[in-house]
Amino acid sequence: MKIATLSSYTDKPLADCTDLELFNALLSLVADATRERGYNQGKKRLYYISAEFLIGKLLSNNLINLGLYDSVRDELAACGRDLSALEEMELEPSLGNGGLGRLAACFLDSCATLGLPADGIGLAYHCGLFRQNFADNRQCESPDYWLRWGQDSWLRRTSRHFRVSFGGFDVTSTLYEIDVTGYEGKSGKLRLFDVDSADERVIHSGISFDKDDVTKNLTLFLYPDDSDDAGRLLRVYQEYFMVSNGAQLILDECQARGSNLHDLADYAAIQINDTHPTMVIPELIRLLGEHGIAFDEAVSIARDVCAYTNHTILAEALETWPKHFIEQVAPQLIPIIDQLDKLVRDSCEDPFVQVIDEHGNVHMANIDIHFSHSVNGVAALHTKILEDVELAPFYKLYPEKFNNKTNGITFRRWCIECNPELAGLITQTIGDDWKHDATRLEDLLAHQDDDGLLDQLSKIKRHNKERFAAWLRAHQGTEVDPDAIFDVQSKRLHEYKRQQLNLLWATNTYLQVKAGKLPERKVCMLFGAKAAPAYTIAKDIIHAIICLGKVVAADPVASQYLQVVMIENYNVTAAERLIPAADVSEQISLASKEASGTSNMKFMLNGALTLGTMDGANVEIAELVGKGNIYTFGEGSDEVIARYQRGDYDPRSYYEGDERLKEAVDFLRGPQMLEVGNAESLERLTEELLGKDWFMTFPDFDSYLTEKARVLNDVADQHSWQRKALVNIAKAGFFSSDRTIEQYNRDIWHLGVDSSRGCE
Ligand SMILES: *Cc1c(COP(=O)(O)O)cnc(C)c1O
């Protein structure tokens, strides 16, 4: 590789450059190095369409993947400059929300690394989801202007433009691209569309904006508030904008590569990530029609090209849109959707599987399942629940379409980059091969009795806790004690993920301390979570966690044993600091509700032990590491599903039957909490738990307390704890997204690997 030094990208000595000048020089260096290595090519290309890509900062990731990290760091250090300071000034792209978007980002990394010709397709949101800060112990939202600073960023404007027709008006769009570097390989691209008429001046205050002027607000925010019709309609506009641009781009490119469109499936695979991009199916059929292809053939082409990933079994998250919304947004799709509906009706009477229901709602997942050739769940248990329960009528129709692809994470970002000391120790112990073949981590199992190694693991954990403590101090001015056990639950705030169960544990622990039962070691509970702005109870839970944190901190005795911290604006950057510092990984969703989870995999890889329910990929983690190396509790998915079916859950009976639970729940709206918190919010949360508790925290309360006591007791014996951690690291290889992507390609996409060398 003939990449020049960083100094050849500046017109003065590095020592004299501003941080911004250095950062811009790094952007150019990375862009040139990426171009020089080349992009993965092939006749058939994957287009991974997704409403979100939670890609995280890119500077260190790209330098590592391009093999430039050490040389750039050393070159900077030689002039008294610090690469990590430049990493700090990069703003995290705000293009995603949670696990689904992070998965899309890991998948692009793995595709590039494995040499698969693949691009992501999405939207270039100006302000992303939102930036979270806390005021009055509550979540406040503001626009996340991730593109605000400087002229330069990873986002590259192209000269490609498209026209998208909405009912009554047209807009033009511009294609932007972000390079996705593969690890020691070639690259792919993330291709993002923006509407040319976007205008940030329609934002009023916070994240509220004029919802009616679609030409201006279309690409400002990810998941605009859908609590009213204007917001819901806007989401449909966004979805159609994304897929219409995407479909036009795909057809253009495939034709340029030689497709006559009849053979489109030899040139393109489209993976539909959750239901947001569903309209790509009717849009493709429509565009193929414009190219003279008859409807029936177009349907069959679309089916051969498209595959659908289901991410949730929560009924409320399977999108349905009133047909008149789609009629308003994209009237040209209505005849197509009507014909698709008729195709289904003609062959099947079951109302459950219809495209349009009797209320005139269009079921997006149903379109995906009928008119794609593959339907996958994201963990073994999840896929089984889809087949046996949630989508059973579809499984009967199309057993051959259903398949499982257990999620994964890229080990480049989630170990090599975020935990360099651990990565170094692994390499020192078993060599370098694990970086390309994660299953080689199992070689660590031969070292389980190496006391020196276990000792090193312990030291690295301690060092990561100190690093995190320093970051948190700078980030939000909160002090945490690295001597405490770091017990972490970080993920989107949702009732099914049950942060409220953890809150009840913390409340119980506080009450125990007040009653004189002092724990052996201090526990620092670290939460990171954003709540959807219109999700009231989720915000109530955040409020209660912050309030409890204040109550505990104000108590001179309790604060020696317990700390409750809510991390502001949890995102990939925070996760990269937090996860390597975790001792305990809280994965406590109600069994059957978490499709997979991926943070469970990140924690495991970074040597934290899982305290979890038998849900999502936790089940596969438990199988891999064995009973002695994971802490599980709570009811199983069969019990939970049966209880929902019986419909006889009564939270009050548990509340009345367990004094500890009663005290904890009562405390939430008791005088101490009311002194720091908001009465309406605390009252609402307590009533929700007592009157509904839809995600059944109370039945698992007792077993959670028991198992968590065991975990916290076991940490004390660092030797046996670190041996368990070592087994977790060794067994994490299965959860590399390289494995997941190889399975997608083998079973669904059938892309050729680009093994030609770049222009090195
Ligand atoms: C991995 C990740 C998630 C997903 O977490 P789950 O526990 O799988 O829901 C969410 N947010 C960020 C920032 C992540 O890195």
Side-chain angles (χ1 to χ4, degrees):
M1 195 70 123
K2 328 173 275 297
I3 284 301
T5 54
L6 184 59
S7 53
S8 61
Y9 286 85
T10 58
D11 48 19
K12 50 187 168 188
L14 295 186
D16 299 342
C17 291
T18 64
D19 279 352
L20 184 59
E21 286 165 340
L22 288 179
F23 188 83
N24 287 338
L26 283 164
L27 286 176
S28 308
L29 171 77
V30 167
D32 284 353
T34 304
R35 203 173 321 112
E36 192 160 325
R37 283 191 177 218
Y39 296 88
N40 291 310
Q41 308 289 353
K43 177 179 170 186
K44 185 170 186 180
R45 196 164 191 89
L46 166 70
Y47 298 93
Y48 193 90
I49 307 195
S50 177
E52 12 170 339
F53 290 90
L54 191 59
I55 55 181
K57 293 189 187 190
L58 294 174
L59 178 58
S60 14
N61 187 254
N62 283 338
L63 290 173
I64 289 170
N65 283 353
L66 294 166
L68 295 170
Y69 191 88
D70 290 350
S71 63
V72 165
R73 183 199 50 207
D74 295 348
E75 191 189 351
L76 284 165
C79 315
R81 305 304 291 265
D82 184 7
L83 179 54
S84 54
L86 301 176
E87 288 164 351
E88 279 302 313
M89 64 181 302
E90 178 180 355
L91 294 181
E92 177 173 328
S94 192
L95 296 168
N97 154 48
L100 177 153
R102 185 53 235 171
L103 184 78
C106 285
F107 280 5
L108 293 185
D109 176 292
S110 283
C111 283
T113 299
L114 294 172
L116 299 179
D119 294 323
I121 291 190
L123 295 183
Y125 307 103
H126 292 224
C127 312
L129 189 69
F130 60 86
R131 169 172 289 279
Q132 178 197 55
N133 70 290
F134 301 134
D136 283 339
N137 305 328
R138 279 195 280 194
Q139 167 175 300
C140 301
E141 301 102 19
S142 55
D144 196 355
Y145 288 111
W146 66 282
L147 282 168
R148 206 19 66 99
W149 88 213
Q151 283 299 98
D152 292 309
S153 81
W154 301 104
L155 198 65
R156 196 168 49 231
R157 189 184 164 91
T158 75
S159 55
R160 295 188 74 164
H161 303 282
F162 296 90
R163 175 172 292 276
V164 174
S165 292
F166 295 121
F169 64 100
D170 287 7
V171 295
T172 57
S173 66
T174 298
L175 172 65
Y176 289 80
E177 293 180 340
I178 296 177
D179 286 332
V180 179
T181 54
Y183 181 61
E184 297 177 349
K186 297 193 198 177
S187 296
K189 285 176 186 166
L190 174 54
R191 314 179 81 183
L192 303 170
F193 297 97
D194 192 15
V195 67
D196 295 333
S197 47
D199 186 348
E200 292 168 17
R201 287 170 303 182
V202 301
I203 301 169
H204 310 310
S205 67
I207 54 168
S208 77
F209 60 93
D210 180 356
K211 279 186 181 160
D212 298 320
D213 201 340
V214 173
T215 58
K216 294 181 177 169
N217 66 25
L218 186 58
T219 48
L220 296 183
F221 289 98
L222 166 64
Y223 300 144
D225 174 10
D226 61 349
S227 54
D228 61 18
D229 271 359
R232 285 157 51 75
L233 200 56
L234 176 54
R235 288 202 187 189
V236 183
Y237 274 109
Q238 288 188 324
E239 291 180 358
Y240 184 65
F241 179 74
M242 174 169 75
V243 304
S244 179
N245 278 299
Q248 294 179 57
L249 176 75
I250 292 167
L251 292 187
D252 280 3
E253 289 193 346
C254 289
Q255 284 182 302
R257 284 202 298 278
S259 171
N260 60 21
L261 298 188
H262 298 276
D263 58 3
L264 188 66
D266 297 335
Y267 290 82
I270 297 178
Q271 191 69 37
I272 298 174
N273 194 31
D274 214 342
T275 56
H276 317 105
T278 298
M279 281 185 283
V280 74
I281 292 174
E283 180 68 357
L284 264 184
I285 295 170
R286 187 183 76 80
L287 292 173
L288 290 170
E290 285 187 350
H291 283 90
I293 295 178
F295 179 76
D296 288 345
E297 192 194 347
V299 171
S300 134
I301 294 171
R303 186 182 280 127
D304 289 345
V305 169
C306 294
Y308 160 62
T309 301
N310 176 289
H311 283 271
T312 180
I313 44 199
L314 294 182
E316 69 265 29
L318 284 176
E319 286 182 305
T320 63
W321 298 119
K323 185 176 161 189
H324 66 89
F325 276 22
I326 299 179
E327 189 146 27
Q328 185 174 343
V329 171
Q332 61 275 31
L333 287 190
I334 291 297
I336 315 267
I337 292 174
D338 280 339
Q339 288 186 79
L340 296 178
D341 180 60
K342 182 165 183 314
L343 278 180
V344 173
R345 262 172 221 292
D346 287 350
S347 68
C348 184
E349 283 174 5
D350 184 352
F352 184 84
V353 304
Q354 300 307 321
V355 166
I356 306 175
D357 67 20
E358 76 267 27
H359 309 293
N361 291 316
V362 182
H363 290 242
M364 307 312 270
N366 298 9
I367 295 180
D368 292 314
I369 301 169
H370 288 297
F371 300 103
S372 67
H373 67 280
S374 164
V375 177
N376 76 282
V378 290
L381 175 67
H382 169 59
T383 300
K384 182 141 180 40
I385 293 174
L386 292 181
E387 291 174 352
D388 295 350
V389 187
E390 297 294 325
L391 299 177
F394 284 107
Y395 183 54
K396 285 209 189 71
L397 281 177
Y398 312 115
E400 73 289 352
K401 288 191 188 184
F402 281 71
N403 63 95
N404 176 245
K405 296 287 169 285
T406 297
N407 282 167
I409 56 171
T410 165
F411 284 24
R412 271 72 67 180
R413 183 176 291 272
W414 295 111
C415 184
I416 299 173
E417 180 190 329
C418 75
N419 201 341
E421 285 188 71
L422 178 62
L425 180 66
I426 294 171
T427 298
Q428 196 187 313
T429 311
I430 60 168
D432 235 353
D433 294 348
W434 66 278
K435 293 181 178 172
H436 280 288
D437 175 6
T439 60
R440 294 299 297 274
L441 285 173
E442 292 213 15
D443 295 352
L444 289 169
L445 291 176
H447 301 264
Q448 281 179 72
D449 298 313
D450 179 344
D451 291 351
L453 180 67
L454 299 179
D455 218 38
Q456 292 264 36
L457 277 181
S458 195
K459 288 209 177 87
I460 290 171
K461 184 61 77 182
R462 168 74 199 201
H463 192 196
N464 286 335
K465 288 162 89 163
E466 287 164 6
R467 275 203 307 149
F468 172 76
W471 176 82
L472 191 69
R473 186 182 306 125
H475 180 68
Q476 67 186 62
T478 305
E479 292 289 339
V480 291
D481 176 2
D483 281 329
I485 299 166
F486 279 16
D487 174 272
V488 183
Q489 186 173 15
S490 57
K491 49 186 72 242
R492 283 305 300 274
L493 202 308
H494 200 292
E495 287 165 280
Y496 85 80
K497 293 177 181 281
R498 300 202 298 186
Q499 284 93 350
Q500 68 275 31
L501 177 58
N502 206 350
L503 168 69
L504 288 172
W505 179 87
T507 308
N508 171 260
T509 302
Y510 171 73
L511 292 169
Q512 295 279 310
V513 173
K514 294 304 283 177
K517 289 194 205 111
L518 305 180
E520 295 269 311
R521 278 184 74 189
K522 180 172 178 178
V523 180
C524 177
M525 303 180 64
L526 293 154
F527 291 89
K530 289 181 181 176
Y535 188 174
T536 306
I537 290 292
K539 291 174 126 177
D540 291 338
I541 294 170
I542 290 180
H543 179 62
I545 292 171
I546 298 175
C547 289
L548 181 68
K550 296 247 163 111
V551 169
V552 174
D555 186 308
V557 179
S559 58
Q560 289 173 43
Y561 297 95
L562 182 65
Q563 187 179 11
V564 181
V565 177
M566 189 91 214
I567 299 162
E568 228 166 28
N569 201 42
Y570 183 64
N571 58 8
V572 175
T573 309
E576 287 175 33
R577 300 302 183 133
L578 175 62
I579 291 172
D583 295 306
V584 181
S585 159
E586 297 271 356
Q587 307 297 338
I588 61 176
S589 55
L590 175 63
S592 82
K593 293 298 179 189
E594 183 72 88
S596 164
T598 50
S599 79
N600 44 3
M601 305 167 186
K602 301 169 196 163
F603 282 103
M604 170 191 195
L605 176 61
N606 283 276
L609 298 196
T610 305
L611 169 58
T613 47
M614 286 301 251
D615 198 16
N618 296 353
V619 176
E620 286 157 85
I621 295 178
E623 275 164 16
L624 283 163
V625 301
K627 279 236 171 301
N629 298 304
I630 186 170
Y631 298 84
T632 61
F633 71 96
E635 295 187 337
S637 54
D638 291 343
E639 277 170 279
V640 170
I641 291 169
R643 199 205 297 278
Y644 274 119
Q645 280 167 354
R646 289 197 311 275
D648 63 357
Y649 174 49
D650 170 25
R652 283 220 175 245
S653 65
Y654 288 89
Y655 169 84
E656 302 295 351
D658 184 338
E659 193 55 34
R660 299 161 310 169
L661 177 60
K662 185 168 188 306
E663 274 178 16
V665 172
D666 290 345
F667 184 85
L668 293 180
R669 59 174 163 193
Q672 281 181 279
M673 289 289 275
L674 288 175
E675 205 165 298
V676 284
N678 172 279
E680 189 189 335
S681 170
L682 295 167
E683 191 65 36
R684 188 168 44 220
L685 174 58
T686 314
E687 280 303 320
E688 182 78 19
L689 288 171
L690 282 172
K692 191 167 169 202
D693 189 24
W694 185 245
F695 294 101
M696 303 178 187
T697 50
F698 292 1
D700 283 348
F701 180 73
D702 177 63
S703 65
Y704 184 50
L705 257 56
T706 307
E707 199 61 13
K708 195 149 162 170
R710 223 162 69 78
V711 175
L712 298 177
N713 184 53
D714 284 2
V715 196
D717 179 355
Q718 269 293 297
H719 193 263
S720 85
W721 180 269
Q722 292 300 346
R723 178 188 289 163
K724 293 182 176 125
L726 186 71
V727 173
N728 273 267
I729 298 166
K731 290 289 187 178
F734 176 73
F735 298 109
S736 163
S737 47
D738 296 350
R739 183 270 311 155
T740 315
I741 287 300
E742 270 166 351
Q743 293 177 337
Y744 272 94
N745 194 41
R746 183 194 66 201
D747 299 343
I748 305 174
W749 305 330
H750 313 296
L751 310 169
V753 172
D754 181 350
S755 48
S756 69
R757 292 161 62 84
C759 33
E760 292 176 55

